[in-house]
Amino acid sequence: MRIGLLTDGGYPYATGESRLWCDRLVRGLPQHEFDLFALSRSAHQEDQGWVRLPPQVSRVRTAPLWTPEDGTLRGSGERGLLARLVTGGKQSYGRRDRRRFTEHLTALAGAICTPDEAGTEAGEGPGAELFTAGLYGLAELARERGGLHLALRSEATVRILETASRARGTGRTVQSATVPDHLAFAAELERALRPLSLDWYDQESLGAVDLCHAASGGAAALPGLLAKRFFGVPLLVTEHGVPLRAHYLAASGTPYGTPVRALLAGFHGRLTTEVYRQAAIVTPGNTHVRRWQQRCGADPAKQRTVYPGMAAERFGQVGEDAERFGAAGGGDDAGGPGTLVWVGRIEPAKDLIALLHAFAEVRRAEPGARLRVFGAPAEGDEATTYLAHCEALAAQLFPDEATGAHTEGVCPVTFEEIGGPEVPDLAEAYGAGGVIVLSSVVEGFPVSLVEAMFCGRATVSTDVGAVVEVIGGTGLVVPPRNPKALADACVALLRDPERRARLGAAARARALELFTVEQNLAAFRGIYLELMSHTPVRREADTVDAHGDPLPFATPPEARLLGHWTQPGPHLRPQPDPEPDPSAAVPHWAAPGTRLPDRPGEPEPQHTREPEPEGVCAVAAGPAGDGDA
């Protein structure tokens, strides 16, 4: 089976989201062939290079979703890959093409600017129809004529957006948009719709795959939408986070005004709904994401929750030690039952400020307790400033303590990075304490909690994101932004070693059952086969050789059976004859007048099939033992 893996700012680049998950998926399914269609997010990401690809990756096509300072678009030509944009050269659209562009962009802009009426289900109503008509119309124009990204940067685009924002039924925020707002939104719209202008939509690229698997929604799923539209390729969408929610959060940190953010929210909301509507199966990474998807129009019947697989073997030694000796840790001053451990990226969403205030309460109840923070600031000046603020607060709350008049004071709170002599790897960081703490106010799938569970550690977490779903009763959960509740839970576990050991053992068993790479691969292996069993043979080129002769075993036997899962697509289904010939040879199991060719235009077989004997199985001819069972 050939899988088209669609990524946005991740695999096969060395940096980016979902990189590890995609790599494990490709390496764990060597029986399938993968074609990668990757969108990059920045020049820095492209300069960092790729990870080493396994042999089952046959082709890689890349394209940028960013624009250099000179405004030109470029792919990955330096790697010798066919990843250029179809720009149509410098030829401008003629009158007919300009009319088509105006019609389709007007429909798209109208759907973005005009919200649905109250009570309208997501994906229904005139707004959804306008959006799909405009989106696929622009895609067909780009496929036939090219030059779409140049047209989206034109003055005509700004005028269309301005007219749509002034139309009746638009919100007050959208109506207040000015010309600079329309210019900014036009630039963002061109960047978001850039996948429509790629040279991926032909029989040798996306038309040659059996299944499109988008590693996220949004821009990554756009090529999958067009592959389904142009070639009938089924689409599978996997989301470990909520891309629409990420767009909402990212928009608040941009210099754009409220009208631009409202227009961007309208576009991404419409696109998300269309992706869920067209996907054959949607696989959220947890129930938290599943609820978001349903709110955006995903059909619950199409959803399959598949937890992201994580490598359990790297934490195996620490977890086995915890099972043998309990959650007592090393028992020395550097770790052990009196030490709390926090692991992650240091950024405001992790709320280390609340954790430090909670640890002040813990120290009053347990004077010998320690807090070790393992992590590094996330990218950006804000995260670096936040780390400095946390270190200053820790020095203020916990001045250095000395055991004597001639000894050096030591602060009970330390900020460390993994890789030093004391903590060489991540497993050692979790093994350095008896209780693992998560204090986030915003969290998707809590990776650090799963890693702590693999290590057999008891956990105290805030109730955000998918924390409760992941913990499942094997740890303590408190409300976010509540240092007093966080401190009480930590003290309860620090004072009860038997409970720590019991919760740690239960957490390890749950993690090994639900969150390993093996269960993730088994789930997608089954989903791939299920989608293929419901998809008819679409391409005649796969069933004949260079001379037009049939290839042996190219058409599976089940493709000849009646049923909705084997019916040919609309573009291959023959029209019934108005007056069927009664003398035509028709199988005994088919209705009179029905013609069921294996491929369009294939002549009817001249032989007839003898009826099979009744019974559960056919009796093999010849003496027993002479043939295969």
Side-chain angles (χ1 to χ4, degrees), residues 312-326 329 425-433 451-452 454-457 508:
E313 58 274 6
R314 64 185 301 190
F315 307 103
Q317 186 62 45
V318 177
E320 292 172 2
D321 292 343
E323 289 183 351
R324 287 196 300 265
F325 307 112
D425 57 18
L426 191 60
E428 294 293 334
Y430 290 108
E451 293 171 344
F454 281 135
C455 294
R457 286 319 193 249
R508 176 171 165 79

Side-chain angles (χ1 to χ4, degrees), residues 195-206:
L196 304 185
S197 299
L198 301 177
D199 60 344
W200 293 352
Y201 310 107
D202 53 50
Q203 289 289 354
E204 300 301 324
S205 295
L206 282 171

Side-chain angles (χ1 to χ4, degrees), residues 5-8 13 36-40 46 60-66 73-76 82-88 93 138-150 152 190-203 205-207 218-224 226-227 230-231:
L5 187 60
L6 315 176
T7 64
D8 176 14
Y13 295 104
L36 299 185
F37 299 87
L39 302 171
S40 64
E46 291 190 1
V60 180
R61 307 289 295 275
T62 65
L65 284 186
W66 53 277
L73 299 177
R74 64 180 182 89
S76 298
L82 298 176
R84 61 192 182 280
L85 292 173
V86 179
T87 61
Y93 284 161
L138 291 175
E140 292 173 357
L141 178 61
R143 187 187 183 195
E144 297 172 7
R145 304 295 298 171
L148 178 62
H149 88 280
L150 296 176
L152 289 173
E190 182 274 324
R191 186 176 294 106
L193 294 180
R194 196 169 294 173
L196 304 185
S197 299
L198 301 177
D199 60 344
W200 293 352
Y201 310 107
D202 53 50
Q203 289 289 354
S205 295
L206 282 171
L222 263 178
L226 302 190
F230 297 148
F231 309 107

Side-chain angles (χ1 to χ4, degrees), residues 209-223:
V209 303
D210 299 306
L211 168 68
C212 281
H213 187 176
S216 65
L222 263 178

Side-chain angles (χ1 to χ4, degrees), residues 246-334:
H247 286 301
Y248 291 158
L249 294 177
S252 62
T254 61
Y256 299 137
T258 304
V260 179
R261 295 201 297 267
L263 290 170
L264 288 173
F267 169 77
H268 289 294
R270 295 288 189 188
L271 178 60
T272 299
T273 301
E274 177 64 12
V275 169
Y276 294 155
R277 189 176 70 89
Q278 294 293 341
I281 292 180
V282 180
T283 56
N286 52 72
T287 304
H288 174 67
V289 177
R290 185 188 184 102
R291 290 194 296 265
W292 266 89
Q293 292 174 343
Q294 292 177 2
R295 184 177 180 181
C296 296
D299 184 1
K302 294 182 179 180
Q303 290 179 298
R304 312 281 180 82
T305 301
V306 180
Y307 296 115
M310 299 178 59
E313 58 274 6
R314 64 185 301 190
F315 307 103
Q317 186 62 45
V318 177
E320 292 172 2
D321 292 343
E323 289 183 351
R324 287 196 300 265
F325 307 112
D332 54 12
D333 293 338

Side-chain angles (χ1 to χ4, degrees), residues 42-131:
S42 65
H44 175 73
Q45 185 179 50
E46 291 190 1
D47 294 339
Q48 293 299 308
W50 297 355
V51 298
R52 178 171 296 181
L53 300 177
Q56 53 265 37
V57 176
S58 57
R59 296 185 301 178
V60 180
R61 307 289 295 275
T62 65
L65 284 186
W66 53 277
T67 305
E69 295 180 358
D70 57 3
T72 59
L73 299 177
R74 64 180 182 89
S76 298
E78 64 273 9
R79 293 184 177 273
L81 298 173
L82 298 176
R84 61 192 182 280
L85 292 173
V86 179
T87 61
K90 296 184 179 180
Q91 298 178 357
S92 59
Y93 284 161
R95 181 179 302 176
R96 182 180 178 182
D97 294 333
R98 289 199 301 270
R99 189 185 310 116
R100 291 176 59 188
F101 174 78
T102 301
E103 176 186 353
H104 300 320
L105 184 59
T106 299
L108 186 76
I112 294 172
C113 297
T114 307
D116 292 328
E117 296 181 359
T120 304
E121 295 291 335
E124 300 180 358
E129 297 178 359
L130 278 176
F131 183 82

Side-chain angles (χ1 to χ4, degrees), residues 311-363:
E313 58 274 6
R314 64 185 301 190
F315 307 103
Q317 186 62 45
V318 177
E320 292 172 2
D321 292 343
E323 289 183 351
R324 287 196 300 265
F325 307 112
D332 54 12
D333 293 338
T339 301
L340 304 177
V341 169
W342 184 96
V343 179
R345 292 194 311 271
I346 300 177
E347 55 187 353
K350 302 302 182 180
D351 200 9
L352 284 177
I353 301 298
L355 176 61
L356 292 174
H357 285 288
F359 186 65
E361 297 290 333
V362 172
R363 289 277 295 179

